[in-house]
Amino acid sequence: MKLEDVIELQPPELKASENIFLPAVLSGLGSTLVHLFRSVGGNVRTMQYPEERREDKPVLEQGMDVQRYRGVHRLNRDEQNRVKCVACYMCATACPAHCIHIVGDAAPDSWPDREKYPIKFDIDELRCIYCGMCEEACPVDAIELTYEYDIVGLTREEMVFDKQKLLAIYDQTIKRRPM
Ligand code: SF4
Ligand code: SF4
């Protein structure tokens, strides 16, 4: 790099009104008052969790009830109640946080519709950034993000969800609403 490539930036000149800060202070106060009157008028955005919950207040979008947040994952089952996953590793490959760990094995002879299935399927929910890339990558819709967001653990190990736990979340959420 040459010296003439260096661009020296100068701080912008402030106008007289910006130098006394009063207009900015009044603008801030105005914004506060707008929100105050909206709240008094019943347009309250604060939610009293846990008495009130987000899933009780669906957001309407294109005429459908949708939630705009993503919760923990579930591993879906197929119509024969088997894990739907075929251990293709697409989700683990797509995951930017590297928090999906799968060990695949040959499918049992009684499962002629697939070559492999996961004997181990772990997701570290603490490392996950809930981007949804795994869901997008899955060719058989076996992994989904649910609306469950208030699952806690006392240790980091508890927040690594294994196959059984991910299937249990499927069982808990399947009847509630479509994901
Ligand atoms: S939601 Fe994103 S970060 Fe989380 S497991 Fe899926 S791909 Fe990885
Ligand atoms: S969840 Fe889907 S993408 Fe991930 S390994 Fe299983 S089948 Fe492949």
Side-chain angles (χ1 to χ4, degrees):
M1 184 192 277
K2 291 177 278 182
L3 190 59
E4 52 268 32
D5 292 335
V6 176
I7 301 168
E8 196 175 330
L9 295 176
Q10 299 296 331
E13 289 276 324
L14 293 181
K15 292 184 236 157
S17 60
E18 289 169 329
N19 265 323
I20 58 172
F21 300 111
L22 198 55
V25 171
L26 291 176
S27 161
L29 280 175
S31 184
T32 304
L33 286 173
V34 166
H35 287 293
L36 175 70
F37 288 127
R38 274 195 192 149
S39 299
V40 171
N43 188 3
V44 181
R45 292 185 174 213
T46 309
M47 202 168 283
Q48 302 300 320
Y49 181 83
E51 288 79 16
E52 288 179 307
R53 297 174 61 90
R54 295 183 71 170
E55 56 268 42
D56 298 334
K57 298 195 171 191
V59 180
L60 276 179
E61 199 171 84
Q62 295 174 344
M64 290 169 60
D65 281 0
V66 293
Q67 296 287 0
R68 292 205 181 111
Y69 64 90
R70 300 182 180 117
V72 293
H73 306 72
R74 73 182 189 189
L75 262 187
N76 292 340
R77 296 181 189 274
D78 65 10
E79 56 289 342
Q80 297 175 51
N81 217 28
R82 305 170 303 181
V83 62
K84 218 171 174 185
C85 172
V86 293
C88 69
Y89 296 88
M90 293 284 280
C91 54
T93 306
C95 176
H98 305 296
C99 61
I100 304 179
H101 306 285
I102 304 165
V103 178
D105 200 359
D109 293 341
S110 55
W111 296 13
D113 57 336
R114 68 181 77 173
E115 291 176 7
K116 288 167 66 187
Y117 82 114
I119 52 170
K120 185 176 158 78
F121 197 115
D122 292 345
I123 302 180
D124 187 340
E125 299 288 346
L126 292 181
R127 284 191 69 169
C128 173
I129 55 171
Y130 299 93
C131 64
M133 296 283 281
C134 49
E135 197 175 50
E136 294 284 324
C138 182
V140 293
D141 295 332
I143 186 168
E144 276 181 303
L145 291 153
T146 67
Y147 301 134
E148 302 298 309
Y149 56 86
D150 56 354
I151 292 176
V152 294
L154 296 177
T155 61
R156 296 189 76 85
E157 289 73 26
E158 275 180 60
M159 294 307 290
V160 177
F161 287 16
D162 63 9
K163 189 171 111 180
Q164 294 315 319
K165 195 162 182 178
L166 293 164
L167 287 169
I169 294 174
Y170 171 85
D171 295 335
Q172 286 162 24
T173 55
I174 187 60
K175 291 210 177 86
R176 255 178 245 168
R177 51 191 295 162
M179 291 294 135

